[in-house]
Each structure stands twice: as C-alpha cells, then as structure tokens.
Amino acid sequence: MDDQYDIIVLGTGLTECILSGIFSVEGKKVLHMDRNDYYGGASASLNLTQLYRKFKPDREVPAELGRDRDYNIDLIPKFMMANGEIVRFLTHTDVTRYLEFKQIAGSFVYNDGKIFKVPASELEAISTSLLGVIEKRRLQKFFEFVQNWKDDDASTHEGLDLDNNTMVDVYAKFGLEPATQDFIGHAMALHLDDSYLKKAARETIEKIILYVASMARYGKSPYIYPLHGLGELPQSFARLSAIYGGTYMLDRAADEILYNDDGKAVGIRSGTETAYATQIICDPSYAPATKKKTIGQVVRAICFLKHPIPNTSESDSVQIVIPQNEVGRKHDIYIASVSNTHAVCPKDRYLAIVSTIVETEDAEREIESGLDLLGEIEHRFVYVSELEEPVEDGQGDNVFISKSYDATSHFETVCDDVKSIYKRMTGNDLVLKKREVIEA
C-alpha cells in the first residue's frame, strides 16, 4: 500500500463507490478497500457459489440451477426511477458508458387480496379496475391537480398550500378513499409507512410527480434496471475512480482505523501495513461500535421461481407494493422481480425478493403475505440485516460513515446520503457536472 492518500474508502457499496468516483474525478488521491473478493458490499450482486457460501455454507449448489456465471443475484432489491436522482448521478459522471439498462415491465399494488396495475395518469385512473366509478373521477381530478400545479399561479392551487397543508388535507380536498390514499402514498410516492400523512404535502406531491414523469418516459413502468444486476452500479463508479487514478484493493481487510491523540482518524491498518489519509469514508460494518447505532432491521427473502409472478400479466419483471394497511402492519412489504431479460438468471427462471421493516420477533412470518403472491418457490434465502447509521456527522473525527441500505425500493435515499457526506467532508454542496472522458 502506498503510504499517503487524501481519502481512504472502506467498503465498495454503492454509496462508497459513488463518493470514491466523485472525489477521484476532483483530483483527490483515493485508496479504496473491501474485505470481500467482489464489489458491492451489502449492495452486491452474487453468483450462485457466492450466494450459497454466504447463506448456506454447509450446502452444495444444486446442479439443476445451472451455471454459476448465469446468475447475478442482488442482495439489496432496488429499482431506479427513470427520472430519479440516481440517474442524474450516472449521466453527470458519465458512468452510463459502462452500463446498459432495461425497463421493469410493471408496477403493481396489492388491494383487497388482488394485484392491480398502479394507475399513474388521468387515462389510467378512468380505466383501472382498482376503483369504483365515482372514485375514478375523484382520482382523475387529483391527477389533474398534480399535473397543473404551479407555485406561482394561485389558480392551480385549489386553495391548498403544499408547505402548510398536510396530505390529510389534500386527500380530504379531493374526497379520496383510504384504499386510494394507500396506493398513492405507498405505490406512487413510495413512503414506507403512514407518517407522511401528517407532514407538509410538498414532499409527497413531488414524489408523485417524479413517479408520473418516470412513467411517461418509457411507458410500462417508472423503473429501469441495469443489465447483470445492481452490482454493476458500484463497479461502474469504481471504474470511473480507477480512470482518474484511484487505487482499488479487493479481498483486503481493514483491521483498524487509526486515531491520533486528539481523536482524529489518520489512517488504517491492514495486517502489518498502514495507509494514511486525512479523511476516511466507510460503511457501518467497518465502523467502531461506538461510532454507529442500530435503528431497526430489514428482513429480505431471495426467491428462485420457475415462472413469472402470478396475476402480473406474465411480466418478466415487476414491483409489487403491499401497503401496510392491507395486511395490518406499520410498514409496507415490497416485492421486486427480475429475470433472464435482465441477464441475472438463466432462461425460464425468475428472481424475486420480498422485503420489509421488521416489527416482531418472527421476521420471516412478516413477509408471508408477500411470499404467498409468488406462487411455487423453488429455493429461498431469508436473512435479516441491521439498519445502522452514524452517531455523529464525522466532522469531529474525520470518519464519515454511510447509512445502511433501507427498505425503500428505490435509490433516492442513497443519493441523499451521498450528498450529505460530500457536504460534511468538503463544506460545499455536491454539484454534478459532465466532464470530459479521459482515454485509458
């Protein structure tokens, strides 16, 4: 290891790789390490051997599953909103040159024991079988309101103030029923729970606008997904960093973060070698116990199927949201499914991941209502992850710890964390600019 760096990054999760890429492009000397022999950390995409080694180390990989190299299995199920912040990160850093995307075929919501396509326009509001005739008209009026809203034109406000009125007020204004509120708030705005109802309406309205604009971009759903799995995202930012001089070391443990007498981090130790830097970025798994706190848990089940998810029009990929109120919970349940179309598994097989925030002592039972929608499951891998976040902002000891990947089905919270860490490290807002490509 070279002795002195500007920044040392521990872990190759997406958050860490985005920051590593951005700082390398800005001319910083970056050392990036991971204890694993693959990129991605908690947000990696694993092949069959890696998956079994992680979750069923005492089991042989069944021969009928086919070739190792045909699988790229996400540990964290997230899709990208076509007009979302993560797409801006990709385009403005020119990382898109390393990636190819496919659309997710359908966006669905669970209601009263059935699966329905999420209506996302005035036309779909009229045609959906999710709602009765009168409610369809109310929803159409709501979509017209959202589409026509202009901050500087009071005639579009319907007497509402998005910064002072809550979503309870907005829903009441249009007379929307609880079931309609559920799919708007949870399947379109993608809130994890109902706490948004009593908050200012602007954030939710902006989330709905993002959903509708993303939907309009490609048609079938608002989501896109990289070929070969989400693990391609951190790898692509790692390539960006390497082009600009970043140093990468996989399968290399960081045994200790080193501090000076003033309690400020000065470097890391790996075995008998030491590397020094004035700032350190790491995911929670590398942080000392005193520097992080657990705020909850997420349960996820990776499922292998031999068929598309039933009642989704034979879609090769879907997101299904089960709103909390439909199953008597405090948090939603998410189902994300992809297939051979996305180069993540062999032909005639499908991957589905069911996830939610843990609320009881029996985590696996909490996702049963999601598992029940999948039909026959060939193999499943259930695991519970801690949700961790830093105790402090990092400016006191120069160790900037990212947050765990939450249960949301998109990357907006990851982008928020990247921007927050960047500002704490530099004192400046992150401004993404398109840069010239350096030929290797």
Side-chain angles (χ1 to χ4, degrees):
M1 288 191 296
D2 205 350
D3 281 341
Q4 188 68 46
Y5 296 86
D6 296 313
I7 298 168
I8 296 173
V9 184
L10 305 179
T12 54
L14 180 58
T15 305
E16 289 72 38
C17 285
I18 292 175
L19 287 163
S20 176
I22 289 170
F23 281 121
S24 294
V25 169
E26 291 184 353
K28 300 291 186 184
K29 187 177 180 182
V30 176
L31 171 64
H32 202 151
M33 298 171 60
D34 197 306
R35 63 171 73 91
N36 299 308
D37 60 358
Y38 52 82
Y39 286 99
S43 59
S45 299
L46 306 184
N47 60 35
L48 275 179
T49 299
Q50 291 167 332
L51 184 74
Y52 270 80
R53 187 193 308 154
K54 185 175 181 67
F55 295 116
K56 297 182 179 180
D58 56 340
R59 297 272 298 276
E60 291 289 325
V61 178
E64 71 266 15
L65 288 177
R67 299 180 301 185
D68 212 35
R69 67 175 182 268
D70 289 338
Y71 288 86
N72 294 289
I73 304 153
D74 296 333
L75 293 177
I76 303 293
K78 288 182 183 287
F79 293 148
M80 303 165 61
M81 298 288 274
N83 271 23
E85 190 77 355
I86 185 66
V87 174
R88 288 188 61 243
F89 274 79
L90 294 170
T91 54
H92 284 270
T93 55
D94 208 27
V95 166
T96 46
R97 60 185 156 155
Y98 306 122
L99 298 163
E100 187 176 346
F101 295 94
K102 288 280 188 180
Q103 188 181 13
I104 296 300
S107 176
F108 295 84
V109 63
Y110 178 86
N111 176 261
D112 198 21
K114 297 179 181 179
I115 299 173
F116 296 89
K117 186 179 185 299
V118 177
S121 68
E122 295 163 45
L123 182 62
E124 289 184 351
I126 295 171
S127 61
T128 182
S129 58
L130 178 61
L131 307 172
V133 175
I134 296 175
E135 188 68 0
K136 286 180 180 180
R137 181 60 183 154
R138 292 172 181 154
L139 180 62
Q140 185 183 18
K141 286 289 189 183
F142 173 76
F143 281 148
E144 287 174 0
F145 163 72
V146 171
Q147 182 179 333
N148 294 332
W149 176 277
K150 293 184 177 67
D151 276 337
D152 57 357
D153 184 353
S155 68
T156 67
H157 295 182
E158 298 282 350
L160 293 167
D161 179 343
L162 297 187
D163 295 312
N164 289 304
N165 287 117
T166 66
M167 280 307 295
V168 170
D169 300 329
V170 175
Y171 289 146
K173 175 72 178 180
F174 293 93
L176 296 173
E177 296 174 353
T180 310
Q181 297 177 27
D182 272 350
F183 90 72
I184 292 172
H186 296 271
M188 294 185 73
L190 300 172
H191 288 295
L192 281 169
D193 55 42
D194 273 349
S195 61
Y196 80 95
L197 287 168
K198 296 181 179 178
K199 297 177 181 177
R202 182 174 295 277
E203 180 186 5
T204 298
I205 296 299
E206 287 176 349
K207 286 176 179 288
I208 295 166
I209 291 169
L210 171 61
Y211 185 100
V212 172
S214 296
M215 186 81 184
R217 190 164 178 178
Y218 294 114
K220 290 182 181 178
S221 88
Y223 305 111
I224 56 176
Y225 180 87
L227 278 185
H228 308 292
L230 295 178
E232 291 295 296
L233 295 176
Q235 284 194 62
S236 297
F237 279 101
R239 290 186 192 122
L240 176 72
S241 176
I243 285 174
Y244 285 88
T247 301
Y248 274 78
M249 294 183 180
L250 295 181
D251 201 17
R252 190 68 174 268
D255 299 309
E256 182 184 5
I257 296 176
L258 305 175
Y259 296 85
N260 64 17
D261 293 339
D262 296 327
K264 293 187 179 294
V266 293
I268 60 100
R269 178 180 63 81
S270 176
T272 59
E273 295 185 88
T274 304
Y276 296 96
T278 54
Q279 293 180 312
I280 293 172
I281 301 169
C282 68
D283 73 43
S285 71
Y286 290 87
T290 56
K291 303 287 185 180
K292 59 187 178 182
K293 61 183 177 182
T294 300
I295 58 171
Q297 294 178 312
V298 179
V299 58
R300 299 182 175 99
I302 299 171
C303 302
F304 289 19
L305 312 177
K306 289 184 176 180
H307 53 80
I309 294 177
N311 305 308
T312 61
S313 304
E314 297 291 306
S315 297
D316 60 30
S317 52
V318 300
Q319 172 169 280
I320 304 171
V321 177
I322 305 177
Q324 58 179 56
N325 296 321
E326 289 292 323
V327 286
R329 289 176 46 77
K330 297 177 183 176
H331 299 88
D332 296 347
I333 299 171
Y334 294 98
I335 302 171
S337 179
V338 285
S339 66
N340 174 255
T341 302
H342 310 88
V344 295
C345 59
K347 190 176 180 182
D348 299 325
R349 272 199 167 80
Y350 299 79
L351 299 177
I353 304 182
V354 183
S355 56
T356 192
I357 297 283
V358 175
E359 297 177 5
T360 70
E361 296 297 317
D362 191 351
E364 186 167 357
R365 188 174 180 183
E366 295 189 48
I367 53 175
E368 276 185 359
S369 54
L371 296 172
D372 289 344
L373 298 180
L374 302 185
E376 185 177 348
I377 298 171
E378 183 183 17
H379 298 280
R380 76 175 72 177
F381 304 81
V382 180
Y383 60 105
V384 176
S385 304
E386 302 290 317
L387 283 174
E388 296 179 312
E389 64 181 26
V391 174
E392 298 172 343
D393 64 11
Q395 293 174 309
D397 62 0
N398 292 333
V399 177
F400 300 87
I401 304 167
S402 63
K403 296 179 179 179
S404 301
Y405 298 102
D406 60 21
T408 56
S409 58
H410 52 80
F411 284 105
E412 302 309 296
T413 51
V414 174
C415 297
D416 290 342
D417 200 23
V418 168
K419 290 187 285 188
S420 173
I421 292 173
Y422 183 90
K423 183 162 188 175
R424 282 179 270 142
M425 291 181 67
T426 66
N428 301 313
D429 290 324
L430 175 57
V431 179
L432 298 169
K433 298 177 181 177
K434 186 123 178 171
R435 291 178 168 85
E436 293 297 319
V437 177
I438 295 177
E439 296 294 334

